[in-house]
Amino acid sequence: MKNDDVDEFLTPLRVALKQCVREPLHMQLRVVEQAAVDIVVGPKQLESHIAVLREFMLMESGLVFDLFVEEAYSQTKNSSSSKTIRGLTPMRLNHIFEMSLQRAGHSSTGPFVKRFMYKRRSKSTSETVPRAKSTSRALLQSLDQLKATYQVESTSMLRLVITEESVRTYAQIHSALLRTRCVQYSLRRLWVRLNYVLRQQRQEDKKAAL
């Protein structure tokens, strides 16, 4: 067989590159582009997930957590006994959070809001109810048992953006912000109480001077 006859059966390099390299790459690129669209603005709605993370994990919705801390403090105070004050269980604190959402005008049953919730930090605290000598301390101990979570299915393509590591980082920031709000609330109550005591003292001093 002559070389010319053999050449007729050889695919030109340009055609081979197009069929074996360019076209498969273009197909993969279209798949990736469609997946990106689905994640960002399509059914996955990444923007909505990020908004919920910002609003609750980073406490952009300040009113919700002001109400949450206020109600949690109140219920912790009401659980006091003769010597100690019992903290609140994570289940109870989750219920308080749902109540705070409703009071602030949020829906706790929304498709994205319900992904945010509190869970126990570790299994070893499953039956532990904190006890302390002060309401503030009991509440802080209760919050120490919690970790904020945001549920994303492990098989979801959202995991490419909202990773487990990023959720843990969000949770650590949330924990610090929540403790700060609790301390702020306790200091505000103390300031009000001290001002009341000072006014009473001044009135008594005025009466004694007459």
Side-chain angles (χ1 to χ4, degrees), residues 132-171:
K133 295 183 179 180
S134 70
T135 303
S136 299
R137 175 59 61 181
L139 178 56
L140 288 174
Q141 289 180 1
S142 298
L143 296 177
D144 284 343
Q145 292 190 338
L146 296 180
K147 63 177 180 180
T149 62
Y150 191 79
Q151 297 179 339
V152 178
E153 295 78 4
S154 59
T155 57
S156 173
M157 295 190 70
L158 285 171
R159 279 294 183 191
L160 296 173
V161 182
I162 307 176
T163 63
E164 293 183 1
E165 182 63 30
S166 65
V167 172
R168 282 195 292 270
T169 302
Y170 272 117

Side-chain angles (χ1 to χ4, degrees), residues 3-192:
N3 289 339
D4 293 341
D5 296 333
V6 174
D7 290 342
E8 292 179 358
F9 295 97
L10 294 177
T11 303
L13 179 60
R14 179 175 57 81
V15 176
L17 289 174
K18 178 181 179 181
Q19 295 179 349
C20 299
V21 180
R22 289 178 59 188
E23 290 186 357
L25 285 177
H26 280 300
M27 291 179 62
Q28 293 180 18
L29 180 60
R30 285 194 292 270
V31 171
V32 172
E33 288 176 344
Q34 185 59 50
V37 171
D38 288 344
I39 290 176
V40 178
V41 297
K44 302 301 182 183
Q45 298 185 14
L46 175 63
E47 186 177 358
S48 298
H49 288 281
I50 296 299
V52 172
L53 286 171
R54 185 176 64 247
E55 190 169 10
F56 298 114
M57 279 289 196
L58 301 182
M59 295 191 184
E60 187 179 82
S61 181
L63 177 59
V64 172
F65 291 97
D66 285 341
L67 295 172
F68 174 76
V69 171
E70 179 183 350
E71 184 62 26
Y73 188 96
S74 176
Q75 293 197 23
T76 301
K77 185 177 181 180
N78 292 337
S79 67
S80 61
S81 60
S82 57
K83 295 183 179 180
T84 60
I85 299 176
R86 298 182 64 193
L88 304 174
T89 63
M91 182 180 297
R92 187 60 186 165
L93 287 167
N94 257 324
H95 178 66
I96 293 174
F97 176 71
E98 292 180 1
M99 290 172 53
S100 302
L101 282 174
Q102 295 174 2
R103 290 177 61 190
H106 287 270
S107 173
S108 60
T109 59
F112 302 106
V113 175
K114 67 182 180 182
R115 291 174 178 265
F116 173 85
M117 64 183 302
Y118 292 107
K119 290 185 177 181
R120 295 186 184 279
R121 189 173 295 277
S122 64
K123 294 181 179 179
S124 62
T125 60
S126 58
E127 299 299 331
T128 303
V129 177
R131 295 174 180 271
K133 295 183 179 180
S134 70
T135 303
S136 299
R137 175 59 61 181
L139 178 56
L140 288 174
Q141 289 180 1
S142 298
L143 296 177
D144 284 343
Q145 292 190 338
L146 296 180
K147 63 177 180 180
T149 62
Y150 191 79
Q151 297 179 339
V152 178
E153 295 78 4
S154 59
T155 57
S156 173
M157 295 190 70
L158 285 171
R159 279 294 183 191
L160 296 173
V161 182
I162 307 176
T163 63
E164 293 183 1
E165 182 63 30
S166 65
V167 172
R168 282 195 292 270
T169 302
Y170 272 117
Q172 291 172 354
I173 297 172
H174 180 87
S175 178
L177 292 174
L178 188 57
R179 289 179 65 87
T180 301
R181 282 188 180 273
C182 289
V183 173
Q184 180 186 29
Y185 180 77
S186 297
L187 290 175
R188 188 163 59 242
R189 286 179 56 90
L190 180 61
W191 181 82
V192 172

